[in-house]
Each structure stands twice: as C-alpha cells, then as structure tokens.
Amino acid sequence: MDKLFEHPRSLRKVSTHYCAGCGHGIAHRLVAQAVDELGIREKIIAVAPVGCAVLAYDYWDFDCTEAAHGRALAVATAIKRVRPDNIVFTYQGDGDLAAIGTNETIHAANRGENLTVIFINNAVYGMTGGQMAPTTLAGQKTATTPRGRDVATQGYPLKISELVAQLPAVKYVERVSLINPGEVMKARKAVLTAFRNQIDKVGFSLVEILSPCPTYWGKSPQASMDWIKDTMTKEFPLGRIK
C-alpha cells in the first residue's frame, strides 16, 4: 500500500497546466503507477492526440508521440505493427475518440488490435471552449448548446464503450470514475488490467474514465464530482461492460 502514495517514477515532477479540479492529473498518475508496477517503462509508447491531453508528454517520463486530431488509434496501430514487442496505448478525450476519431476507434476495435485505450469522458470539448461533445448529456448546457442538448436535433449521448463492446474482437471494456478514493482505486485496477491484457496479447482493451471538468461545467470541483455521481453515471453506468 505504501507504493500507492509514492511519486511514480514514470510521472514527472512538474507544475500542471490543467484547470483546478480537472481529472486529467489523477488519470495521468494512474497510468504512471500502472507502468511502474508492470515494469514496462522502457517498452511503453503513448499516443496522445489533440485535446486537453495534447501535452501529456510533459507529465509522463516515458516515450510519447502525438497524432492528428482523432487519429490516435491509427497511429497506435502502425506503431504496434512495426514494433509488436512494445506496449502501445492511446490517451484520448471524448471529443477526439468519439467524434472526429469515431472511424479509427470503431475499426481498430473491430480488427482487435492488441492495444490499450484510456478514454477520458468529461462530456464536453475541454480544450477549445466547452462546446457540445458526442458524450454531452441530454439537456446539458455547453458553449454550443446554451439551452441544453436537444436530442430531437442533436441526438443522444454516444455510448462508445457499449458500442465497441458488441464487437467480437474486443476483449475488455470497463467504465470507471474519479469521484472518490474508492472509485479511483477501481479505476487503477481497470487501467492495470487493460495494460496486462496487452502484455498477455489478449487483444483490444478500453477503459472509459468519467472525469470532471469544473471550468466548462461551471461548477466547483466538489460539485463536479457530485454531478458525475448523481447525474452522469445515470447515462454512463459504471462497471465492467465486457
């Protein structure tokens, strides 16, 4: 248990650029802890595309590369095929993975690429001004839905985890959150499982993390956690999906 409180070797000691209360810092630490625990720091390659996590390489002390918006899984597929002994993962937000990158997501999952996907769902476009994302909830107000998301004209929130879980080549899908220490520990276990699957050549694994965005939700950090627990999880239930 003591190692849980140690600073992970794979996490750089730098100041954060993320907004106060943002969940990316917690998620970064969970990834770094998993890399250290599994002893894969010298083998791992992260792919981070455009979005709030575009500067992930400033925080992780292992090999990282960037991809064009939405193309992380295409880049990850190429890296993994050229370097099959490396552990390759993508770290993507909902705007990236579930909007411009939907094609790459669905087809990489359908091919059963032996990759790990860390999917951060905060229900908005966090980098570009808080616009509606594919995961924005019905009635949720954003910069582009000031009256709330209208499902009659804008459709329903896209449940990527449930979609990819239907594909036969997908081996592991779990949705977790960062709302309290207990849930963070569940998220830690899910991230570890997703990386172990790749090490064991199990196949495509995706972990969806419900993460707070106080800035664009217009809420305090605590209220943001409460909103995930009381509202967001009704649309995106937590737990192992496949």
Side-chain angles (χ1 to χ4, degrees):
M1 286 295 291
D2 289 344
K3 288 187 177 180
L4 293 177
F5 303 101
E6 293 178 358
H7 188 94
R9 183 185 179 194
S10 294
L11 192 67
R12 299 180 191 274
K13 294 183 178 181
V14 295
S15 298
T16 182
H17 81 286
Y18 293 119
C19 301
C22 175
H24 275 295
I26 302 172
H28 284 3
R29 182 182 178 90
L30 294 179
V31 169
Q33 285 179 323
V35 170
D36 287 358
E37 183 169 334
L38 296 170
I40 55 176
R41 183 169 170 266
E42 301 304 321
K43 296 179 63 176
I44 199 157
I45 301 173
V47 183
V50 176
C52 285
V54 71
L55 298 177
Y57 54 77
D58 282 343
Y59 304 104
W60 287 324
D61 195 9
F62 47 73
D63 287 336
C64 302
T65 189
E66 291 185 358
H69 201 186
R71 310 300 178 237
L73 275 163
V75 173
T77 296
I79 295 172
K80 185 67 177 180
R81 292 191 178 191
V82 172
R83 302 184 64 89
D85 293 333
N86 282 93
I87 306 303
V88 185
F89 77 100
T90 67
Y91 184 93
Q92 301 174 258
D94 45 7
D96 180 86
L97 180 144
I100 193 171
T102 314
N103 178 57
E104 281 75 8
T105 302
I106 296 298
H107 288 288
N110 192 49
R111 293 191 303 268
E113 301 290 346
N114 189 34
L115 298 168
T116 301
V117 180
I118 307 300
F119 169 34
I120 306 298
N121 179 359
N122 60 15
V124 293
Y125 277 83
M127 183 187 187
T128 55
Q131 301 92 338
M132 185 187 77
T135 51
T136 297
L137 273 58
Q140 183 181 346
K141 294 181 179 180
T142 71
T144 50
T145 57
R147 298 182 184 89
R149 180 174 188 160
D150 181 0
V151 297
T153 57
Q154 295 153 337
Y156 289 87
L158 195 59
K159 297 185 178 182
I160 284 288
S161 290
E162 283 82 354
L163 283 173
V164 301
Q166 300 176 58
L167 301 173
V170 173
K171 301 304 180 183
Y172 173 67
V173 182
E174 185 161 357
R175 182 181 290 122
V176 296
S177 77
L178 305 175
I179 58 177
N180 58 45
E183 294 301 322
V184 170
M185 292 301 291
K186 292 178 184 178
R188 179 177 182 273
K189 182 178 179 182
V191 171
L192 276 166
T193 299
F195 280 124
R196 283 198 183 103
N197 285 347
Q198 186 174 166
I199 294 168
D200 295 338
K201 298 180 172 58
V202 170
F204 191 91
S205 297
L206 183 146
V207 177
E208 178 180 347
I209 301 177
L210 303 187
S211 177
C213 183
T215 295
Y216 290 120
W217 291 354
K219 303 179 186 296
S220 70
Q222 182 59 58
S224 295
M225 295 297 193
D226 292 339
W227 188 77
I228 293 175
K229 176 172 63 71
D230 298 333
T231 303
M232 198 172 178
T233 55
K234 293 178 181 177
E235 185 67 41
F236 299 105
L238 302 179
R240 184 163 180 166
I241 299 169
K242 187 173 186 178

